[in-house]
Amino acid sequence: MATNTPLADLSAAGVSVWLDDLSRQRIESGNLTSLIEDDEVVGVTSNPTIFASAFADADHYAEDLDGLAARGASVEDAIRELTTEDVRRACDVFRGVWQRTGGVDGRVSLEVDPGKAHDTEATVAEAADLWKTVDRPNLMIKIPATREGIPAITRTLAEGISVNVTLIFSVARYREVMEAYLSGMEQARANGHDLTGMASVASFFVSRVDSEVDKRLDAIGTDAALNLRGTAAIANARLAYAAFLEVFGTERWAALKGAGAKPQRPLWASTGVKNKAYPDTLYVTELAAPNTVNTMPEATLKAFADHGELHGDAVTGTEDAAREVFAGLAHVGIDVDDVYQVLEDEGVKKFDDSWAELTATVSDQLTRRSPEQDK
């Protein structure tokens, strides 16, 4: 059992603590198991940036890379094999958590190729292929909440596949995501899938909102603008939570719940604080609320374990104050719709760039190990 009181308190408050990182080293060293036993960690998220970082440490992948090079595997096939193997092993590590929580937690997320973020058909096909390849019931397939990703979410859920919807920045897009979830679960039920085994989270990004809005507030430079720094991200997430409570309080949801479905919980992503002027646990303390997930980089996790504080439910009932923040932002000239679009475009590009980095790293490793190099 965990001995860190702040993390135990966070878990008791209804927040599922997930780690935003995954690597072969974490799995083989026992670090992932220790985080489960000592730090209340009940899930893991991954993305192309995380895998690009993990694969840079080739020592832990040497045996697999040697085998892939020996049989002449393509770079694409090698990436698929390495990433799915890491995720499969992590799913096995979290199997006990998955069983203990009735499938609510113990989840491990694997993202589709970000290069397909604007291609519905390609996303649906890859989601199905990844689900089949990993072959673990506690897997979640990550699908970006682009316009093309929304129908892919519904179609993937309809096939009985659990989904982590990623790169959500606006409440308007979040509402589309929840609609996609409800439609997908209704179709899954019609298709004969057991809803009790399925789960979904909606990854609502936090710190990147403050980074973009604060930059614009600094450029405006007035006292009214500068006084709003560090307020946008938390207000945005609190409005998202109000939308969550609204949608999952409807009769439509009640019908799915009666069929065994789990609510699609809000997941606070990008919770590492980027501005050093802000408390390093800001996006944990101020977004603690029941039925949420907070996926943290390890630095944030350890910071909260060391000195994190909770002040009860920090989110429920705060929507009026959050709306006032956005009224203030509009008053000083912040175009929040433009902020959201910029962040979505940048988010897809960042993951796409990381995928290119991952491809280059694996290509280099395969070339070094190729039998042709020995001739």
Side-chain angles (χ1 to χ4, degrees):
M1 294 294 294
T3 56
N4 268 311
T5 300
L7 288 169
D9 288 347
L10 187 65
S11 180
V15 180
S16 290
V17 178
W18 289 10
L19 177 71
D20 191 27
D21 193 45
L22 181 62
S23 67
R24 185 72 55 88
Q25 190 275 337
R26 281 195 185 278
I27 297 168
E28 293 183 340
S29 68
N31 169 264
L32 207 52
T33 300
S34 295
L35 289 171
I36 294 169
E37 295 175 348
D38 301 330
D39 290 301
E40 294 282 349
V41 171
V42 291
V44 158
T45 48
S46 67
N47 60 46
T49 302
I50 285 169
F51 279 124
S53 176
F55 288 6
D57 180 12
D59 289 348
H60 290 280
Y61 298 91
E63 185 176 343
D64 286 358
L65 286 164
D66 286 341
L68 288 161
R71 68 173 194 258
S74 68
V75 175
E76 183 180 59
D77 287 347
I79 291 172
R80 173 63 58 86
E81 199 164 311
L82 293 169
T83 55
T84 55
E85 178 61 16
D86 276 4
V87 169
R88 186 181 299 112
R89 290 192 189 187
C91 282
D92 291 342
V93 172
F94 279 96
R95 185 70 176 244
V97 176
W98 176 75
Q99 292 172 329
R100 172 170 54 82
T101 62
V104 173
D105 286 308
R107 299 281 176 170
V108 182
S109 296
L110 175 62
E111 188 157 349
V112 297
D113 178 348
K116 299 171 182 175
H118 297 294
D119 186 332
T120 302
E121 295 299 327
T123 296
V124 171
E126 185 173 16
D129 186 54
L130 288 172
W131 180 259
K132 182 179 179 180
T133 300
V134 174
D135 192 28
R136 293 294 186 273
N138 51 332
L139 172 69
M140 276 185 171
I141 302 298
K142 287 180 81 172
I143 298 177
T146 57
R147 294 198 180 281
E148 298 82 0
I150 297 297
I153 293 159
T154 295
R155 289 172 56 184
T156 299
L157 287 162
E159 295 305 316
I161 298 171
S162 295
V163 174
N164 176 340
V165 185
T166 188
L167 291 178
I168 307 171
F169 296 98
S170 73
V171 176
R173 183 57 57 85
Y174 177 43
R175 286 186 177 277
E176 294 179 29
V177 168
M178 289 189 286
E179 170 61 32
Y181 173 72
L182 294 175
S183 296
M185 294 300 278
E186 287 164 348
Q187 292 178 33
R189 180 178 57 182
N191 291 338
H193 294 291
D194 179 6
L195 303 190
T196 62
M198 297 176 64
S200 182
V201 293
S203 296
F204 201 87
F205 278 55
V206 183
S207 66
R208 294 187 194 182
V209 174
D210 268 346
S211 295
E212 180 64 25
V213 172
D214 284 1
K215 179 176 67 177
R216 298 183 186 207
L217 292 170
D218 286 340
I220 294 168
T222 64
D223 287 345
L226 297 178
N227 286 337
L228 287 166
R229 287 179 296 185
T231 64
I234 291 169
N236 199 39
R238 286 173 172 173
L239 288 175
Y241 189 76
F244 161 72
L245 293 179
E246 175 194 326
V247 171
F248 288 93
T250 61
E251 291 184 7
R252 183 183 180 189
W253 164 246
L256 283 168
K257 182 179 179 181
K262 300 174 179 65
Q264 182 191 54
R265 292 178 296 170
L267 178 151
W268 310 131
S270 182
T271 55
V273 175
K274 295 178 172 57
N275 188 330
K276 300 300 183 184
Y278 303 154
D280 55 3
T281 58
L282 178 68
Y283 302 125
V284 183
T285 298
E286 298 300 327
L287 292 178
N291 294 313
T292 60
V293 180
N294 196 309
T295 185
M296 310 177 203
E298 188 171 23
T300 303
L301 180 78
K302 294 301 185 183
F304 195 83
D306 179 65
H307 53 264
E309 296 182 358
L310 286 181
H311 310 294
D313 182 344
V315 184
T316 306
T318 61
E319 57 266 32
D320 288 344
R323 290 190 187 97
E324 288 180 10
V325 169
F326 278 88
L329 292 170
H331 183 72
V332 299
I334 298 296
D335 182 346
V336 292
D337 288 335
D338 183 67
V339 168
Y340 298 142
Q341 192 59 56
V342 166
L343 288 172
E344 181 180 305
D345 292 344
E346 285 183 351
V348 173
K349 185 179 185 302
K350 283 178 181 177
F351 285 164
D352 210 17
D353 290 347
S354 294
W355 194 267
E357 179 186 345
L358 175 61
T359 299
T361 298
V362 173
S363 176
D364 179 61
Q365 292 295 335
L366 290 175
T367 299
R368 292 183 185 184
R369 290 169 163 79
S370 171
E372 297 296 320
Q373 294 290 102
D374 299 328
K375 293 181 180 180

